Amino acid sequence: MRVAVISDIHSNLPALEAVLAEVDREAPDELWCLGDIVGYGPHPNECVDLTRGRTALSLCGNHDLAVLGTIDIGDFTGDAGDAARWTAGELGEPQAAWLRELSPAAVRPGVELYHGSPRDPVWDYVLTEQVALISILETTAPIVLVGHSHVALGLGWDGAELSGGLAPERTEIDLANRRWLLNPGSVGQPRDGDPRAAWLLIDEGAGRASFRRVPYPIEATQAAMRERGLPDALAARLAHGI
Ligand code: ZN
C-alpha cells in the first residue's frame, strides 16, 4: 500500500490545496492526517471540509481539541490563544461535529499514529533523540507516525542504535531492517526553516518513505489572516518557516 501522510494543516487552505495537488499526482491508495487541522490560520471550515473529504484516516490535535472546548482553550497563551478563540467563533457546527469524532491516536496494520507522541498523544513533542527513542520503545509497530512539532523527522532504531534525524526535502528512507519514527512536517505552518508545505509518501511495498515539500502562495494566506484580524506575528512567520 502507498500512503500519503500530512499533518498540522492549521487552517491554511492554499498550503493544503498545493499539497493535495502533489498527492493527486502520486495517486496513493490512502491519505492520512495526523491532526491540528485548525488553529493559527484563516480557513478553518474549508480545511476541515477538504480534510474530511479526502482522508481515509484523520487524528485530532491539541489545537482542534482546544477549539472544540475538549481541552481548556486557556492552555494556549498569546497569539495561539487569540487564534484559537477566533477559530472557535468561526467553526461551523458540521465541521465541529466531525472534529469531535476524531482521536489523537490510531493504529493501522504495521503503523501506530499519534498527534504528539505515544507518551502523550495530545501534548508531547518529539524533538529530541531521547524522546524519539522513548516513543519507539513504547510502541511495537514497524512505523510510528507523529506530528505536532511541525519539524520533518525520520529516526530509525535497529535495536541498538538510533540513526537519522531532520528530514529535509528529498530525504529518502529505506524502511527495511529498522523500526522508524517519522514526522511528515507541517502543511500549514512549517517550523524547520523551510517555508514550503510538507508531506510524506510511504510506499510499504517498496519499503521506502519519501519526504516532500511543495511551494504555495504564502502571501495569499498572510493576506487572508490580516483581513480576519489574526495576529500579525503568525502571518509573518509563515514566510520564514519558523
Ligand atoms: Zn500543530
Side-chain angles (χ1 to χ4, degrees):
M1 183 155 93
R2 294 168 74 246
V3 181
V5 187
I6 59 176
S7 191
D8 297 278
I9 297 161
H10 285 296
S11 300
N12 186 338
L13 184 63
L16 179 58
E17 288 177 333
V19 166
L20 292 177
E22 291 287 304
V23 168
D24 285 344
R25 240 165 257 146
E26 291 285 354
D29 299 297
E30 290 192 358
L31 173 66
W32 297 347
C33 172
L34 304 178
D36 274 4
I37 297 152
V38 302
Y40 294 132
H43 309 113
N45 293 312
E46 297 91 329
C47 287
V48 167
D49 290 344
L50 202 45
T51 304
R52 178 186 188 180
R54 295 292 304 269
T55 53
L57 167 67
S58 184
L59 307 182
C60 59
N62 53 318
H63 285 258
D64 305 316
L65 292 170
V67 165
L68 293 173
T70 310
I71 60 177
D72 185 0
I73 211 163
D75 288 344
F76 289 88
T77 54
D79 290 342
D82 291 345
R85 277 182 286 277
W86 177 85
T87 305
E90 285 292 309
L91 196 67
E93 190 40 49
Q95 287 78 15
W98 181 71
L99 284 177
R100 265 188 223 107
E101 294 170 8
L102 307 181
S103 159
V107 180
R108 287 293 180 272
V111 187
E112 290 179 51
L113 306 88
Y114 304 92
H115 178 66
S117 85
R119 288 199 305 193
D120 180 343
V122 176
W123 286 108
D124 193 33
Y125 288 93
V126 182
L127 277 169
T128 64
E129 290 198 345
Q130 189 191 14
V131 177
L133 184 55
I134 290 168
S135 298
I136 290 169
L137 295 179
E138 287 195 4
T139 51
T140 55
I143 297 173
V144 180
L145 298 175
V146 299
H148 189 45
S149 71
H150 302 204
V151 173
L153 284 180
L155 285 148
W157 173 248
D158 64 1
E161 219 179 327
L162 203 59
S163 59
L166 296 174
E169 187 191 28
R170 287 195 282 273
T171 298
E172 293 280 333
I173 284 179
D174 177 358
L175 297 169
N177 305 319
R178 282 171 198 275
R179 295 182 56 219
W180 285 93
L181 180 138
L182 306 173
N183 184 329
S186 169
V187 170
Q189 196 203 71
R191 293 180 192 159
D192 54 8
D194 182 343
R196 295 173 299 171
W199 67 285
L200 174 70
L201 183 66
I202 298 174
D203 187 331
E204 287 176 304
R208 307 286 297 174
S210 167
F211 287 85
R212 308 291 178 90
R213 299 306 273 252
V214 52
Y216 74 94
I218 292 172
E219 61 293 339
T221 301
Q222 292 174 318
M225 291 175 75
R226 289 173 178 138
E227 261 170 42
R228 288 157 177 74
L230 285 159
D232 199 59
L234 293 179
R237 69 188 295 177
L238 294 178
H240 306 287
I242 53 172

